[in-house]
PDB file of all heavy atoms in Angstrom:
ATOM      1  N   ASN B 151      -2.534   7.413   0.535  1.00 96.00           N
ATOM      2  CA  ASN B 151      -3.011   6.928   1.834  1.00 96.00           C
ATOM      3  C   ASN B 151      -4.472   7.288   2.015  1.00 96.00           C
ATOM      4  O   ASN B 151      -4.883   8.418   1.723  1.00 96.00           O
ATOM      5  CB  ASN B 151      -2.212   7.542   2.983  1.00 96.00           C
ATOM      6  CG  ASN B 151      -0.794   7.019   3.098  1.00 96.00           C
ATOM      7  OD1 ASN B 151       0.031   7.604   3.780  1.00 96.00           O
ATOM      8  ND2 ASN B 151      -0.478   5.929   2.429  1.00 96.00           N
ATOM      9  N   ALA B 152      -5.262   6.337   2.502  1.00 97.00           N
ATOM     10  CA  ALA B 152      -6.683   6.559   2.770  1.00 97.00           C
ATOM     11  C   ALA B 152      -6.919   6.407   4.265  1.00 97.00           C
ATOM     12  O   ALA B 152      -6.766   5.314   4.826  1.00 97.00           O
ATOM     13  CB  ALA B 152      -7.532   5.555   1.994  1.00 97.00           C
ATOM     14  N   ARG B 153      -7.255   7.490   4.938  1.00 97.00           N
ATOM     15  CA  ARG B 153      -7.472   7.465   6.382  1.00 97.00           C
ATOM     16  C   ARG B 153      -8.729   6.661   6.727  1.00 97.00           C
ATOM     17  O   ARG B 153      -9.767   6.783   6.075  1.00 97.00           O
ATOM     18  CB  ARG B 153      -7.622   8.886   6.926  1.00 97.00           C
ATOM     19  CG  ARG B 153      -6.351   9.724   6.873  1.00 97.00           C
ATOM     20  CD  ARG B 153      -6.649  11.129   7.367  1.00 97.00           C
ATOM     21  NE  ARG B 153      -7.125  11.124   8.740  1.00 97.00           N
ATOM     22  CZ  ARG B 153      -6.389  11.480   9.803  1.00 97.00           C
ATOM     23  NH1 ARG B 153      -5.143  11.906   9.621  1.00 97.00           N
ATOM     24  NH2 ARG B 153      -6.894  11.438  11.016  1.00 97.00           N
ATOM     25  N   ASP B 154      -8.626   5.857   7.784  1.00 97.00           N
ATOM     26  CA  ASP B 154      -9.771   5.041   8.176  1.00 97.00           C
ATOM     27  C   ASP B 154     -10.979   5.878   8.593  1.00 97.00           C
ATOM     28  O   ASP B 154     -12.120   5.471   8.406  1.00 97.00           O
ATOM     29  CB  ASP B 154      -9.395   4.056   9.282  1.00 97.00           C
ATOM     30  CG  ASP B 154      -8.813   4.723  10.520  1.00 97.00           C
ATOM     31  OD1 ASP B 154      -8.574   5.939  10.501  1.00 97.00           O
ATOM     32  OD2 ASP B 154      -8.598   4.015  11.526  1.00 97.00           O
ATOM     33  N   ASP B 155     -10.728   7.077   9.130  1.00 97.00           N
ATOM     34  CA  ASP B 155     -11.850   7.912   9.561  1.00 97.00           C
ATOM     35  C   ASP B 155     -12.520   8.649   8.409  1.00 97.00           C
ATOM     36  O   ASP B 155     -13.496   9.381   8.618  1.00 97.00           O
ATOM     37  CB  ASP B 155     -11.409   8.902  10.636  1.00 97.00           C
ATOM     38  CG  ASP B 155     -10.232   9.768  10.214  1.00 97.00           C
ATOM     39  OD1 ASP B 155      -9.633   9.493   9.167  1.00 97.00           O
ATOM     40  OD2 ASP B 155      -9.901  10.718  10.953  1.00 97.00           O
ATOM     41  N   LYS B 156     -12.028   8.458   7.185  1.00 97.00           N
ATOM     42  CA  LYS B 156     -12.624   9.078   6.008  1.00 97.00           C
ATOM     43  C   LYS B 156     -13.264   8.052   5.068  1.00 97.00           C
ATOM     44  O   LYS B 156     -14.014   8.422   4.161  1.00 97.00           O
ATOM     45  CB  LYS B 156     -11.573   9.863   5.224  1.00 97.00           C
ATOM     46  CG  LYS B 156     -10.831  10.929   6.010  1.00 97.00           C
ATOM     47  CD  LYS B 156     -11.714  12.103   6.364  1.00 97.00           C
ATOM     48  CE  LYS B 156     -10.895  13.213   7.023  1.00 97.00           C
ATOM     49  NZ  LYS B 156     -11.764  14.363   7.404  1.00 97.00           N
ATOM     50  N   LEU B 157     -12.980   6.777   5.276  1.00 97.00           N
ATOM     51  CA  LEU B 157     -13.388   5.758   4.306  1.00 97.00           C
ATOM     52  C   LEU B 157     -14.891   5.696   4.085  1.00 97.00           C
ATOM     53  O   LEU B 157     -15.355   5.455   2.967  1.00 97.00           O
ATOM     54  CB  LEU B 157     -12.901   4.376   4.767  1.00 97.00           C
ATOM     55  CG  LEU B 157     -11.423   4.046   4.565  1.00 97.00           C
ATOM     56  CD1 LEU B 157     -11.128   2.681   5.168  1.00 97.00           C
ATOM     57  CD2 LEU B 157     -11.048   4.062   3.094  1.00 97.00           C
ATOM     58  N   ARG B 158     -15.662   5.890   5.144  1.00 97.00           N
ATOM     59  CA  ARG B 158     -17.110   5.705   5.031  1.00 97.00           C
ATOM     60  C   ARG B 158     -17.882   7.006   4.826  1.00 97.00           C
ATOM     61  O   ARG B 158     -19.108   6.982   4.707  1.00 97.00           O
ATOM     62  CB  ARG B 158     -17.633   4.971   6.269  1.00 97.00           C
ATOM     63  CG  ARG B 158     -17.057   3.567   6.415  1.00 97.00           C
ATOM     64  CD  ARG B 158     -17.666   2.796   7.557  1.00 97.00           C
ATOM     65  NE  ARG B 158     -17.273   3.328   8.865  1.00 97.00           N
ATOM     66  CZ  ARG B 158     -17.654   2.799  10.025  1.00 97.00           C
ATOM     67  NH1 ARG B 158     -18.440   1.737  10.039  1.00 97.00           N
ATOM     68  NH2 ARG B 158     -17.254   3.322  11.165  1.00 97.00           N
ATOM     69  N   THR B 159     -17.149   8.137   4.787  1.00 96.00           N
ATOM     70  CA  THR B 159     -17.830   9.427   4.655  1.00 96.00           C
ATOM     71  C   THR B 159     -17.393  10.223   3.428  1.00 96.00           C
ATOM     72  O   THR B 159     -18.177  11.006   2.890  1.00 96.00           O
ATOM     73  CB  THR B 159     -17.600  10.283   5.909  1.00 96.00           C
ATOM     74  OG1 THR B 159     -16.194  10.478   6.097  1.00 96.00           O
ATOM     75  CG2 THR B 159     -18.181   9.598   7.145  1.00 96.00           C
ATOM     76  N   SER B 160     -16.155  10.033   2.992  1.00 96.00           N
ATOM     77  CA  SER B 160     -15.634  10.811   1.874  1.00 96.00           C
ATOM     78  C   SER B 160     -16.092  10.244   0.536  1.00 96.00           C
ATOM     79  O   SER B 160     -15.948   9.043   0.273  1.00 96.00           O
ATOM     80  CB  SER B 160     -14.104  10.833   1.925  1.00 96.00           C
ATOM     81  OG  SER B 160     -13.559  11.347   0.723  1.00 96.00           O
ATOM     82  N   TRP B 163     -13.274   8.318  -1.242  1.00 97.00           N
ATOM     83  CA  TRP B 163     -12.856   6.986  -0.813  1.00 97.00           C
ATOM     84  C   TRP B 163     -13.996   5.972  -0.731  1.00 97.00           C
ATOM     85  O   TRP B 163     -13.788   4.776  -0.965  1.00 97.00           O
ATOM     86  CB  TRP B 163     -12.198   7.056   0.573  1.00 97.00           C
ATOM     87  CG  TRP B 163     -10.998   7.913   0.686  1.00 97.00           C
ATOM     88  CD1 TRP B 163     -10.836   8.989   1.506  1.00 97.00           C
ATOM     89  CD2 TRP B 163      -9.748   7.776  -0.012  1.00 97.00           C
ATOM     90  NE1 TRP B 163      -9.582   9.537   1.357  1.00 97.00           N
ATOM     91  CE2 TRP B 163      -8.894   8.811   0.431  1.00 97.00           C
ATOM     92  CE3 TRP B 163      -9.273   6.884  -0.981  1.00 97.00           C
ATOM     93  CZ2 TRP B 163      -7.608   8.976  -0.051  1.00 97.00           C
ATOM     94  CZ3 TRP B 163      -7.988   7.046  -1.467  1.00 97.00           C
ATOM     95  CH2 TRP B 163      -7.164   8.076  -1.000  1.00 97.00           C
ATOM     96  N   LYS B 164     -15.183   6.421  -0.355  1.00 98.00           N
ATOM     97  CA  LYS B 164     -16.267   5.504   0.003  1.00 98.00           C
ATOM     98  C   LYS B 164     -16.610   4.479  -1.072  1.00 98.00           C
ATOM     99  O   LYS B 164     -16.733   3.276  -0.760  1.00 98.00           O
ATOM    100  CB  LYS B 164     -17.506   6.300   0.403  1.00 98.00           C
ATOM    101  CG  LYS B 164     -18.656   5.431   0.918  1.00 98.00           C
ATOM    102  CD  LYS B 164     -19.832   6.289   1.369  1.00 98.00           C
ATOM    103  CE  LYS B 164     -20.979   5.422   1.852  1.00 98.00           C
ATOM    104  NZ  LYS B 164     -22.134   6.263   2.287  1.00 98.00           N
ATOM    105  N   PHE B 167     -13.963   1.759  -1.060  1.00 98.00           N
ATOM    106  CA  PHE B 167     -13.975   0.956   0.163  1.00 98.00           C
ATOM    107  C   PHE B 167     -15.141  -0.027   0.147  1.00 98.00           C
ATOM    108  O   PHE B 167     -15.002  -1.179   0.575  1.00 98.00           O
ATOM    109  CB  PHE B 167     -14.056   1.852   1.396  1.00 98.00           C
ATOM    110  CG  PHE B 167     -14.235   1.083   2.678  1.00 98.00           C
ATOM    111  CD1 PHE B 167     -13.266   0.198   3.107  1.00 98.00           C
ATOM    112  CD2 PHE B 167     -15.399   1.223   3.422  1.00 98.00           C
ATOM    113  CE1 PHE B 167     -13.435  -0.542   4.275  1.00 98.00           C
ATOM    114  CE2 PHE B 167     -15.580   0.497   4.589  1.00 98.00           C
ATOM    115  CZ  PHE B 167     -14.594  -0.386   5.019  1.00 98.00           C
ATOM    116  N   VAL B 230      -4.791   1.833   3.213  1.00 98.00           N
ATOM    117  CA  VAL B 230      -5.589   2.319   4.336  1.00 98.00           C
ATOM    118  C   VAL B 230      -4.684   2.528   5.551  1.00 98.00           C
ATOM    119  O   VAL B 230      -3.819   1.689   5.845  1.00 98.00           O
ATOM    120  CB  VAL B 230      -6.715   1.326   4.663  1.00 98.00           C
ATOM    121  CG1 VAL B 230      -7.511   1.794   5.885  1.00 98.00           C
ATOM    122  CG2 VAL B 230      -7.637   1.147   3.467  1.00 98.00           C
ATOM    123  N   THR B 231      -4.868   3.644   6.236  1.00 98.00           N
ATOM    124  CA  THR B 231      -4.069   3.927   7.436  1.00 98.00           C
ATOM    125  C   THR B 231      -4.970   4.080   8.653  1.00 98.00           C
ATOM    126  O   THR B 231      -6.156   4.406   8.543  1.00 98.00           O
ATOM    127  CB  THR B 231      -3.231   5.210   7.277  1.00 98.00           C
ATOM    128  OG1 THR B 231      -4.103   6.348   7.166  1.00 98.00           O
ATOM    129  CG2 THR B 231      -2.338   5.127   6.055  1.00 98.00           C
ATOM    130  N   THR B 232      -4.382   3.842   9.828  1.00 98.00           N
ATOM    131  CA  THR B 232      -5.099   3.943  11.091  1.00 98.00           C
ATOM    132  C   THR B 232      -4.161   4.528  12.148  1.00 98.00           C
ATOM    133  O   THR B 232      -3.051   4.959  11.832  1.00 98.00           O
ATOM    134  CB  THR B 232      -5.635   2.560  11.521  1.00 98.00           C
ATOM    135  OG1 THR B 232      -6.499   2.708  12.652  1.00 98.00           O
ATOM    136  CG2 THR B 232      -4.506   1.592  11.861  1.00 98.00           C
ATOM    137  N   THR B 233      -4.592   4.542  13.393  1.00 97.00           N
ATOM    138  CA  THR B 233      -3.740   5.055  14.463  1.00 97.00           C
ATOM    139  C   THR B 233      -2.545   4.126  14.667  1.00 97.00           C
ATOM    140  O   THR B 233      -2.659   2.910  14.479  1.00 97.00           O
ATOM    141  CB  THR B 233      -4.530   5.179  15.766  1.00 97.00           C
ATOM    142  OG1 THR B 233      -5.161   3.915  16.062  1.00 97.00           O
ATOM    143  CG2 THR B 233      -5.606   6.251  15.655  1.00 97.00           C
ATOM    144  N   ASP B 244       0.974   9.871  14.391  1.00 93.00           N
ATOM    145  CA  ASP B 244      -0.402  10.047  13.944  1.00 93.00           C
ATOM    146  C   ASP B 244      -0.985   8.837  13.229  1.00 93.00           C
ATOM    147  O   ASP B 244      -2.100   8.424  13.514  1.00 93.00           O
ATOM    148  CB  ASP B 244      -0.483  11.278  13.028  1.00 93.00           C
ATOM    149  CG  ASP B 244      -1.897  11.553  12.560  1.00 93.00           C
ATOM    150  OD1 ASP B 244      -2.813  11.520  13.407  1.00 93.00           O
ATOM    151  OD2 ASP B 244      -2.093  11.794  11.357  1.00 93.00           O
ATOM    152  N   ARG B 245      -0.240   8.236  12.281  1.00 95.00           N
ATOM    153  CA  ARG B 245      -0.809   7.192  11.441  1.00 95.00           C
ATOM    154  C   ARG B 245       0.176   6.054  11.214  1.00 95.00           C
ATOM    155  O   ARG B 245       1.390   6.230  11.330  1.00 95.00           O
ATOM    156  CB  ARG B 245      -1.200   7.740  10.049  1.00 95.00           C
ATOM    157  CG  ARG B 245      -1.964   9.019  10.005  1.00 95.00           C
ATOM    158  CD  ARG B 245      -3.313   8.945  10.669  1.00 95.00           C
ATOM    159  NE  ARG B 245      -4.219   8.021  10.001  1.00 95.00           N
ATOM    160  CZ  ARG B 245      -5.408   7.656  10.513  1.00 95.00           C
ATOM    161  NH1 ARG B 245      -5.802   8.113  11.676  1.00 95.00           N
ATOM    162  NH2 ARG B 245      -6.187   6.829   9.843  1.00 95.00           N
ATOM    163  N   VAL B 248      -2.431  -0.071   7.643  1.00 98.00           N
ATOM    164  CA  VAL B 248      -3.137  -1.224   8.195  1.00 98.00           C
ATOM    165  C   VAL B 248      -2.540  -2.502   7.615  1.00 98.00           C
ATOM    166  O   VAL B 248      -2.559  -2.710   6.396  1.00 98.00           O
ATOM    167  CB  VAL B 248      -4.648  -1.158   7.885  1.00 98.00           C
ATOM    168  CG1 VAL B 248      -5.346  -2.435   8.361  1.00 98.00           C
ATOM    169  CG2 VAL B 248      -5.262   0.064   8.548  1.00 98.00           C
ATOM    170  N   PHE B 267     -14.572  -3.083   7.829  1.00 98.00           N
ATOM    171  CA  PHE B 267     -14.121  -1.952   8.644  1.00 98.00           C
ATOM    172  C   PHE B 267     -13.626  -2.413  10.017  1.00 98.00           C
ATOM    173  O   PHE B 267     -12.739  -1.785  10.607  1.00 98.00           O
ATOM    174  CB  PHE B 267     -15.246  -0.935   8.810  1.00 98.00           C
ATOM    175  CG  PHE B 267     -14.777   0.390   9.354  1.00 98.00           C
ATOM    176  CD1 PHE B 267     -14.141   1.310   8.530  1.00 98.00           C
ATOM    177  CD2 PHE B 267     -14.941   0.705  10.698  1.00 98.00           C
ATOM    178  CE1 PHE B 267     -13.687   2.520   9.034  1.00 98.00           C
ATOM    179  CE2 PHE B 267     -14.488   1.915  11.210  1.00 98.00           C
ATOM    180  CZ  PHE B 267     -13.854   2.827  10.368  1.00 98.00           C
ATOM    181  N   ILE B 270      -9.870  -2.988  10.463  1.00 98.00           N
ATOM    182  CA  ILE B 270      -8.953  -1.847  10.442  1.00 98.00           C
ATOM    183  C   ILE B 270      -8.537  -1.516  11.873  1.00 98.00           C
ATOM    184  O   ILE B 270      -9.209  -0.752  12.584  1.00 98.00           O
ATOM    185  CB  ILE B 270      -9.598  -0.631   9.758  1.00 98.00           C
ATOM    186  CG1 ILE B 270     -10.000  -0.990   8.326  1.00 98.00           C
ATOM    187  CG2 ILE B 270      -8.646   0.560   9.756  1.00 98.00           C
ATOM    188  CD1 ILE B 270     -10.746   0.117   7.603  1.00 98.00           C
TER     189      ILE B 270
END
Side-chain angles (χ1 to χ4, degrees):
N151 289 165
R153 292 177 61 104
D154 56 353
D155 55 350
K156 304 290 186 181
L157 283 176
R158 297 185 290 182
T159 58
S160 168
W163 301 120
K164 185 177 179 180
F167 173 63
V230 177
T231 65
T232 188
T233 53
D244 182 46
R245 313 297 296 171
V248 175
F267 193 78
I270 301 175

